[in-house]
Amino acid sequence: MRPDPDGGAPPLAIEVNDLTVAYREQPVLWDVDVSFRQGALTAIVGPNGAGKTTLIRAILGLVPLAAGMVRILGRAPEDARTEVAYVPQRGSVDWDFPTSVLDLVLMGTYGRLGWFRRPGAAERDRAGEALEKVGMEAFAERQISQLSGGQQQRVFLARALVQDARIYLMDEPFQGVDARTETAIVEVLRELRARGNTVIVVHHALQTVAEYFDEVVLLNVRRIASGPVEEAFTDENLRLAYGGRVPFLRSAG
Amino acid sequence: MELLHALFFDYTLRTVALGAGALGAVAGALGSFAVLRRQSLLGDAISHAALPGIVLAFMLTGSRATPVLVLGAALAGWVGTLFVLAIVRRSRIPEDAALGIVLSVFFGLGLVLLTFVQRSPTAAQAGLETFLFGQAATLLEQDVLLIAGVGSIALVALALGWKEFKLLSFDPDFGRSMGLPMTRIDVALTTLLVVAIVLGLQTVGVVLMSAMVVAPAAAARQWTDSLGLMVVLAGALGAGAGVAGTLVSSMGRGIPTGPTIVLAASIFVGVSLLVAPGRGLVAGRLRLRRVRQQVREGESEP
Amino acid sequence: MNGVHLEIQLLAAVVAVACALPGVFLVLRRMALMSDAISHSILLGIVLGFFWVGDLGHPLLILAATATGVLTVALVELLHGTRRVKEDAAIALVFPALFSIAVILIAQRAGGVHLDVDAVLLGEIAFAPFRRFEWNGLDLGPRSLWVMGGILALNLLAIGLFYKELKLSTFDAGLAASLGFSPVLVHYGFMTLVSVTAVGAFDAVGSILVVALMIAPPAAAWLLTDRLPVMLALSGLIAAVSAIAGFHVAIAFDASIAGSMAGMTGVAFVGAFALAPERGLVAQWQRRARQRVEFAGLMLSIHLLNHEGGARAEVENRVEHLSEHLRWSPDFARRVVRRAERDGLVVREGRDRLLLTPLGREAARHGMVQAPPAR
């Protein structure tokens, strides 16, 4: 564990209090209280339109808050941007953009480089290592449009790894990827946890929640339940989150 | 060869070609970002919106000096961009309609002012109508210096903010998540685009200037998968279109320069789309045929 | 006011309405800038047609120009279909090229002839009354009034006959296809209508101002209504009023009539943008101020409900906590609480602890249910 600057109990990785977010006067999240423990792998699950993506975008400061507040490692979010790495949804960018895999991964270093500085040899080395971790080192010079969906996802993950942050927020990294990519991502998640990092993942597949994650947040516009998987991930809570439409997937898993 | 001789020794032609080339380079390089950000038609709106700014600048100062008019154009282009943003953000009107309204209404206001100026007895023919289709022949040495000077500053600014502009074009939310001021970076890049456009208005005109922003970039994109190379190549193709258009229009009588430059750039696009290696349509067709052949050979083998 | 002025105003109104009607569907289909592309490239059709028949009044010119308009749509789709350029870039590549060819051709062969560059940009509505339509020596009015009247009638007829198809393919292309309307056929049929209209209007107001007449009045109307028939009627009305107002402004300042008409459509749009009863800036601002307190009251109820009986209820339900956690200023928090008390959503226990009333609990549950299940 990292030493805690304040001495006492380690602060929470992220603390969200009374968070309300509205798009065009339509509330998407209502008064959500939730906290994320340091060093844990946490899944955010809930039906479509439950506000899962909005929750992590609100934490990242990408959407305006109607009310409530967010603390990251006990600090105001603006003061903690370099502590947080972000893996957006794969479909959020244009993969026909003229750039190479290595170049894309290097974008993860821009936050700390400062104005006018270009990434140098040190940054390239780190990007190479990150690509190795996700098994994409052979593709470094490849143009990004030539990647498969799973490869795109792993490159996005590598970009977050070079951010060298303490908290990782990932938006549906398992969505539509091949088995090999899924394994690679899970391995990276476990390694991050082993090094004391916090990982928060918007997740769709209920059958893998118990296998991959320590904690879970069930969300449907408001927080339904949260806590360790074995306590919070109950049939009762799932029914509350998904209404009558409890996905059959869980009984299969 | 006579043409090349003229290019080197005919002072007027050389001046015009240099000006058109410099503007092509600046517009091509900065246009690459507009094309990649799907803002091709923003350039059209900006160039049309510039017209009332040009006429107002003349009406307020009484000066026909290029820097004054260019400044007026830049301000009006900027205001037009702000209008588009405000309409999209504050109403249900989608971006394409907002662009259409701004470009046509600003242009209409510009024409009202222009006809008003032309008919008022105090101001004789101001020569402002050259800004409609451009008149490269009116380029003076100091105009070329202005284009080259301001254009160079814009290109240096582009180089300085390179990685931020790249990030803005590819994944602005990711940049914001790292705490980078993406809105300000967006403002900076849009300002550079406005600069590139207004520099070209005297040569190519408000009606066709957007093509100089889009065409070299669209052509360059076909040849490379690297953003750096694309920007350099777009600049080169833009300059090439500027010089080639000037030369061709100097060969005959009454061939307008602006449309000729635009046509040259359009031909570059057509050729690039067809024959560029990799992305070109011919290369794609050949690849397809090769794959089919391999499949067939694979089938014929036992 | 003389007869010529009356005829110009009548023509201006007819042109504006004829443009605004197909414009409604262009705006709704997110194809507003196709009008920009079409209105430019029809010049090439006019020039080529003119070289062919040698008479600017020949009906064949309208045919040739319309064909180039449709060709533009096809070229944009072809270019976009190669997947080598994005759609916006495809539009921005096609029409400048065609327009450039046209301008060069004009400069080459039509110099001195009636086709001059000013006419391309400004239109010639001021001269329209001087070209008369005569039949057996009988003066039947300006020729362009007959042409534009015909195009307006064609638009009314086409939109009337194919209203269902247009509406369906605009709002739900998938459903339209499954019901057996070919989206491609509707699309190209509609684009032909846009092209014919642009060709007719081009003569009067020039190539760029056609865009203003096609886009601005429908956009203004869209801010005023949700219903398609009302939007069509309003667009026509706004277009006609803008055109006539534009004429008078132009006469007063001795400036371009077409430019002034375009300017007036802009004024109409800005007016709707600022003042539309529900969607205007002023209405948005008023509603936000009002809703902020209502919304806050609901949020307060939900907040209390979420923490009811919870371990931290003691803390969460204090008035002073609200300003801290919900990011409300103490002043605003007091206002919200006062209003919630008055509405019977909460009661105060002791000095500053808040409790939900049954009504407040109901409101909170209802509020959360109302929160949309889908984005």
Side-chain angles (χ1 to χ4, degrees):
Chain A
M1 291 295 307
R2 286 162 198 259
D4 177 55
D6 302 327
L12 291 163
I14 292 173
E15 197 184 350
V16 174
N17 274 315
D18 306 322
L19 176 73
T20 295
V21 178
Y23 283 135
R24 302 203 168 223
E25 294 158 19
Q26 287 268 50
V28 190
L29 287 174
W30 262 126
D31 200 49
V32 170
D33 281 294
V34 66
S35 51
F36 297 91
R37 193 166 60 77
Q38 271 202 57
L41 297 182
T42 306
I44 302 175
V45 298
N48 282 332
K52 305 183 293 286
T53 295
T54 305
L55 176 58
I56 66 170
R57 287 175 64 82
I59 292 171
L60 288 162
L62 300 179
V63 292
L65 315 185
M69 65 174 188
V70 174
R71 309 284 289 173
I72 297 175
L73 295 167
R75 286 180 259 161
E78 310 82 70
D79 303 331
R81 290 277 170 249
T82 53
E83 308 284 10
V84 184
Y86 175 39
V87 180
Q89 282 183 19
R90 198 152 38 87
S92 64
V93 300
D94 175 13
W95 288 94
D96 195 34
F97 194 84
T99 198
S100 69
V101 166
L102 184 69
D103 228 29
L104 193 162
V105 175
L106 281 171
M107 288 180 188
T109 66
Y110 289 5
R112 293 188 182 182
L113 267 181
W115 297 101
F116 312 131
R117 277 197 50 209
R118 297 281 175 86
E123 281 79 18
R124 280 170 184 283
D125 286 349
R126 273 171 44 216
E129 279 166 32
L131 279 172
E132 220 165 291
K133 275 191 191 138
V134 298
M136 289 291 291
E137 65 276 15
F139 292 79
E141 298 305 323
R142 216 47 103 69
Q143 211 274 324
I144 57 170
S145 68
Q146 298 168 4
L147 303 178
S148 72
Q151 291 168 339
Q152 291 172 352
Q153 193 65 60
R154 280 187 272 160
V155 172
F156 257 15
L157 189 58
R159 181 176 70 172
L161 291 178
V162 297
Q163 287 185 266
D164 199 18
R166 290 165 69 185
I167 302 171
Y168 293 79
L169 294 173
M170 306 185 183
D171 200 349
E172 307 224 10
F174 297 108
Q175 182 68 40
V177 300
D178 51 294
R180 190 170 157 219
T181 299
E182 181 142 353
T183 323
I185 297 176
V186 170
E187 242 167 64
V188 170
L189 296 188
R190 292 193 172 141
E191 196 192 322
L192 285 171
R193 176 177 56 188
R195 287 194 285 137
N197 293 298
T198 310
V199 185
I200 300 161
V201 177
V202 171
H203 195 58
H204 232 96
L206 295 179
Q207 70 271 31
T208 49
V209 168
E211 188 190 342
Y212 294 165
F213 297 98
D214 311 321
E215 312 221 333
V216 67
V217 173
L218 283 140
L219 195 70
N220 189 357
V221 184
R222 57 190 185 119
R223 185 189 58 114
I224 305 297
S226 64
V229 171
E230 49 294 355
E231 289 168 26
F233 199 59
T234 61
D235 287 340
E236 163 81 38
N237 284 337
L238 278 170
R239 206 164 297 122
L240 278 171
Y242 286 82
R245 306 160 281 141
V246 181
F248 60 91
L249 289 166
R250 182 170 144 74
S251 48
Chain B
M1 285 309 98
E2 200 179 312
L3 206 61
L4 278 183
H5 186 268
L7 184 60
F8 285 115
F9 297 105
D10 179 331
Y11 173 77
T12 315
L13 183 61
R14 196 176 61 201
T15 308
V16 173
L18 275 177
L23 118 84
V26 177
L30 284 160
S32 300
F33 285 89
V35 167
L36 290 174
R37 299 179 71 198
R38 306 185 188 207
Q39 289 185 334
S40 298
L41 293 160
L42 180 65
D44 204 24
I46 291 173
S47 64
H48 283 75
L51 183 62
I54 295 170
V55 189
L56 271 180
F58 170 75
M59 287 166 78
L60 292 177
T61 65
S63 159
R64 260 159 62 186
T66 313
V68 173
L69 302 185
V70 164
L71 192 65
L75 287 176
W78 236 112
V79 172
T81 314
L82 289 183
F83 263 93
V84 173
L85 272 180
I87 293 171
V88 171
R89 198 173 286 179
R90 294 272 167 221
S91 78
R92 52 155 61 159
I93 304 300
E95 192 184 13
D96 64 323
L99 287 170
I101 292 169
V102 166
L103 88 82
S104 57
V105 170
F106 271 63
F107 187 79
L109 293 176
L111 284 182
V112 167
L113 293 174
L114 193 59
T115 46
F116 180 69
V117 168
Q118 282 171 346
R119 282 168 200 175
S120 64
T122 47
Q125 285 292 322
L128 296 178
E129 67 278 9
T130 59
F131 280 90
L132 292 176
F133 289 108
Q135 209 161 56
T138 61
L139 279 182
L140 304 173
E141 196 177 319
Q142 61 249 42
D143 297 332
V144 175
L145 286 177
L146 180 79
I147 294 175
V150 177
S152 306
I153 296 173
L155 290 182
V156 168
L158 182 68
L160 282 178
W162 181 261
K163 72 177 194 300
E164 283 78 13
F165 294 144
K166 176 154 79 172
L167 191 55
L168 174 76
S169 309
F170 179 65
D171 195 350
D173 274 354
F174 182 71
R176 215 164 279 136
S177 82
M178 293 193 292
L180 294 174
M182 297 316 278
T183 310
R184 264 180 275 167
I185 295 170
D186 194 349
V187 169
L189 187 56
T190 307
T191 305
L192 292 182
L193 182 65
V194 170
V195 169
I197 287 171
V198 297
L199 282 180
L201 296 181
Q202 193 185 356
T203 313
V204 182
V206 300
V207 181
L208 289 170
M209 187 54 208
S210 68
M212 285 311 290
V213 172
V214 177
R221 176 69 188 90
Q222 313 309 322
W223 298 89
T224 173
D225 280 332
S226 143
L227 179 63
L229 276 180
M230 175 181 168
V231 170
V232 171
L233 196 57
L237 288 173
V243 174
T246 311
L247 288 183
V248 170
S249 74
S250 77
M251 291 190 318
R253 300 191 82 201
I255 305 180
T257 319
T260 314
I261 294 175
V262 169
L263 212 52
S266 305
I267 291 170
F268 287 170
V269 175
V271 171
S272 304
L273 273 175
L274 285 177
V275 305
R279 282 174 73 97
L281 294 174
V282 174
R285 188 59 61 86
L286 286 177
R287 230 178 358 252
L288 195 65
R289 188 188 289 176
R290 215 162 33 236
V291 170
R292 281 207 187 119
Q293 207 157 10
Q294 275 164 3
V295 169
R296 230 173 299 142
E297 279 164 11
E299 275 170 356
S300 64
E301 277 168 29
Chain C
M1 186 71 44
N2 56 37
V4 171
H5 279 187
L6 263 182
E7 281 177 355
I8 294 177
Q9 286 179 67
L10 186 60
L11 178 61
V14 170
V15 169
V17 177
C19 285
L21 292 180
V24 167
F25 293 97
L26 277 176
V27 170
L28 290 175
R29 289 168 160 243
R30 310 265 191 284
M31 293 195 297
L33 288 168
M34 268 312 186
S35 67
D36 192 27
I38 290 175
S39 69
H40 279 86
S41 47
I42 52 177
L43 182 63
L44 182 59
I46 293 176
V47 172
L48 291 177
F50 175 66
F51 286 165
W52 188 16
V53 297
D55 169 19
L56 267 178
H58 204 283
L60 210 66
L61 250 61
I62 296 185
L63 209 66
T66 306
T68 18
V70 180
L71 176 77
T72 307
V73 178
L75 277 177
V76 168
E77 275 166 19
L78 183 75
L79 208 53
H80 181 214
T82 64
R83 304 226 305 264
R84 305 304 199 268
V85 284
K86 307 273 187 294
E87 190 175 16
D88 63 322
I91 294 177
L93 287 171
V94 169
F95 80 81
L98 298 181
F99 192 72
S100 294
I101 297 175
V103 173
I104 291 171
L105 285 177
I106 292 176
Q108 281 303 290
R109 292 193 44 185
V113 190
H114 173 70
L115 256 182
D116 65 273
V117 162
D118 266 6
V120 170
L121 292 177
L122 294 172
E124 310 207 284
I125 196 165
F127 307 116
F130 302 111
R131 292 194 298 267
R132 313 298 294 185
F133 182 52
E134 285 174 22
W135 187 67
N136 281 347
L138 207 63
D139 179 16
L140 294 175
R143 191 162 65 183
S144 41
L145 192 55
W146 282 93
V147 175
M148 268 331 280
I151 291 174
L152 175 59
L154 178 71
N155 274 331
L156 285 170
L157 193 71
I159 292 174
L161 280 178
F162 299 105
Y163 181 78
K164 192 171 76 250
E165 285 79 0
L166 270 171
K167 183 176 170 181
L168 202 56
S169 66
T170 299
F171 294 108
D172 191 345
L175 179 63
S178 70
L179 288 179
F181 309 140
S182 156
V184 179
L185 203 64
V186 175
H187 177 62
Y188 275 93
F190 173 62
M191 281 304 173
T192 309
L193 201 63
V194 172
S195 297
V196 176
T197 312
V199 172
F202 174 89
D203 203 29
V205 298
S207 62
I208 294 159
L209 305 177
V210 171
V211 179
L213 295 181
M214 284 196 173
I215 306 305
W222 199 14
L223 295 176
L224 297 169
T225 178
D226 276 332
R227 297 188 45 231
L228 184 54
V230 182
M231 187 175 162
L232 282 163
L234 268 178
S235 300
L237 187 70
I238 292 170
V241 171
S242 307
I244 291 170
F247 168 82
H248 287 285
V249 171
I251 295 301
F253 291 97
D254 189 20
S256 153
I257 297 174
S260 171
M261 283 164 64
M264 279 301 145
T265 64
V267 171
F269 176 77
V270 170
F273 181 53
L275 302 173
E278 274 173 53
R279 296 199 179 73
L281 288 180
V282 174
Q284 281 180 34
W285 178 73
Q286 281 176 337
R287 188 173 52 233
R288 205 164 300 136
R290 195 176 59 239
Q291 276 187 343
R292 214 160 77 95
V293 181
E294 279 172 21
F295 185 71
L298 185 58
M299 222 161 72
L300 174 66
S301 313
I302 290 175
H303 181 72
L304 295 177
L305 181 72
N306 270 353
H307 293 288
E308 213 165 45
R312 287 167 56 212
E314 283 293 323
V315 191
E316 294 280 348
N317 294 0
R318 284 178 187 281
V319 176
E320 64 194 56
H321 164 86
L322 296 174
S323 46
E324 188 188 319
H325 261 198
L326 295 174
R327 278 191 175 173
W328 292 346
S329 71
D331 201 41
F332 184 69
R334 269 195 298 278
R335 250 174 75 207
V336 173
V337 170
R338 218 168 27 236
R339 187 176 162 126
E341 279 181 298
R342 205 178 57 218
D343 292 350
L345 298 174
V346 301
V347 289
R348 222 182 262 249
E349 193 192 70
R351 216 172 57 80
D352 65 350
R353 244 190 94 209
L354 296 172
L355 285 180
L356 268 180
T357 63
L359 181 68
R361 207 164 292 132
E362 193 53 40
R365 291 219 176 90
H366 189 66
M368 282 191 293
V369 173
Q370 259 196 337
R375 261 178 298 182

